[in-house]
Structures are given as structure tokens and as C-alpha cells.
Amino acid sequence: MNYATIKKTDVANGPGIRVSLFVSGCTHRCKGCFNSEAWDFDYGRPYTPETEEEILEALAPGHIRGLSLLGGEPMEPENRGTVLSLVKTVRLRYPQKDIWCYTGYHYENDLLGGPEEVTQLLSLIDVLVDGEFIEEQKNLRLAFRGSENQRLIDVQESLRQGRTVCL
């Protein structure tokens, strides 16, 4: 997997101060995407063990609330394995930190009941921002999302209740 960038003090992609990993590769290709250069799976740099350690070190300070995963597309089949490995490590090392994931995939239609890697990822993610960015529904006043169709899903509560619980 390649990644576009790591932001070590991000305040735009979830609550508090966060570390954000922008992975490379996205097949959604949403019109008006803010990060279209990351559609290319070869964009950026290779994700290595050193990259993961850099992310883990950036998460260490107490003022860092959590990790946000964006793209590109973290849920692309080509990216899932690496993203899952990172998320497992973050959960073990920093159980108090929250994990947000932004995806163009739809929670109920595309992810629930999906491949084992997706099921495992969902079991470890706190908040999923789902749905493709729709330029015609762009709304700059929305918290932590770009278009009105996108939802902030409390994944753990949704899994417990067996229904989608939005924040």
C-alpha cells in the first residue's frame, strides 16, 4: 500500500487533535473530491514498518485524541490488510484513543457482512464516515464530512444494536 500523507496534528477529520493517515488508491473517483491525486494507488510513498512506527509515535502524546483514516480509500481491497494491521496495533498500544475511518463505501450495503478483513476493521473502528462525496450535496457547515449524504456512524453501538446508529 502507498500513502499520500500523514498529518500529525489534524483538527479537521474528527474531534480533538488527531493523527491522520491518507492512504493512496480510490476507485470511487467522486466528482469534486478534495484529494483526487490520491486516487492513484501508486501515488505517494510506500507504507513501511517505519511509516507505521512514525504513526504510532505521533499518537503517543496525551493531547492526541485518536487516529483518522482517509484517502484515497482505506476500505479498498488493496488497502484493507495494511489498514487492519495498523488499526490492530493502535488498539493494543493505545486502547484509550479513538479511531475514525472515512470511506466512500456505504455501511449497510457495502461493508456489513463483507469480507473478513472488513468485518475485523469494523470491530475496531469507533466512527465510520460513510458514503461517496456528492458535490451537489456539498455543505461546508457539516461537522467532519463534506456532503449531506455522508453519515457519522457509531460503529460499535451499531454492531451491538444490530442497526445503524448515527452520531
Side-chain angles (χ1 to χ4, degrees):
M1 177 181 91
N2 277 10
Y3 70 98
T5 193
I6 298 167
K7 292 187 179 181
K8 295 181 181 175
T9 54
D10 189 355
V11 295
N13 295 299
I17 301 170
R18 315 183 64 73
V19 175
S20 292
L21 170 65
F22 290 77
V23 304
S24 295
C26 183
T27 57
H28 300 298
R29 299 181 177 264
C30 301
K31 177 181 150 195
C33 175
F34 81 99
N35 201 16
S36 58
E37 64 274 2
W39 292 349
D40 182 350
F41 285 89
D42 294 322
Y43 180 77
R45 295 183 256 168
Y47 185 94
T48 64
E50 292 78 20
T51 307
E52 186 160 304
E53 194 53 42
E54 179 182 352
I55 293 167
L56 294 169
E57 287 177 19
L59 285 164
H63 69 276
I64 300 293
R65 178 154 174 187
L67 173 69
S68 292
L69 304 163
L70 307 95
E73 173 60 72
M75 292 289 186
E76 289 286 4
E78 296 87 341
N79 295 335
R80 291 176 192 156
T82 304
V83 170
L84 177 59
S85 177
L86 170 63
V87 169
K88 284 179 176 178
T89 303
V90 170
R91 277 283 172 237
L92 286 172
R93 196 176 293 187
Y94 304 112
Q96 74 283 10
K97 309 275 185 183
D98 63 7
I99 300 173
W100 282 46
C101 181
Y102 286 74
T103 181
Y105 290 103
H106 187 267
Y107 177 68
E108 296 90 348
N109 297 340
D110 301 323
L111 301 177
L112 275 183
E116 181 59 27
E117 283 178 327
V118 173
T119 300
Q120 287 183 42
L121 273 166
L122 291 175
S123 76
L124 299 167
I125 292 169
D126 296 295
V127 175
L128 185 76
V129 182
D130 83 329
E132 292 186 8
F133 172 75
I134 299 175
E135 189 171 48
E136 295 75 22
Q137 294 183 29
K138 181 177 181 177
N139 183 340
L140 298 176
R141 289 180 280 202
L142 297 171
F144 309 124
R145 55 198 171 120
S147 60
E148 293 179 3
N149 64 298
Q150 295 172 318
R151 303 175 295 172
L152 303 174
I153 299 171
D154 181 334
V155 179
Q156 298 314 304
E157 194 58 33
S158 295
L159 294 172
R160 276 191 287 281
Q161 292 189 25
R163 65 178 185 85
T164 304
V165 177
C166 293
L167 299 174

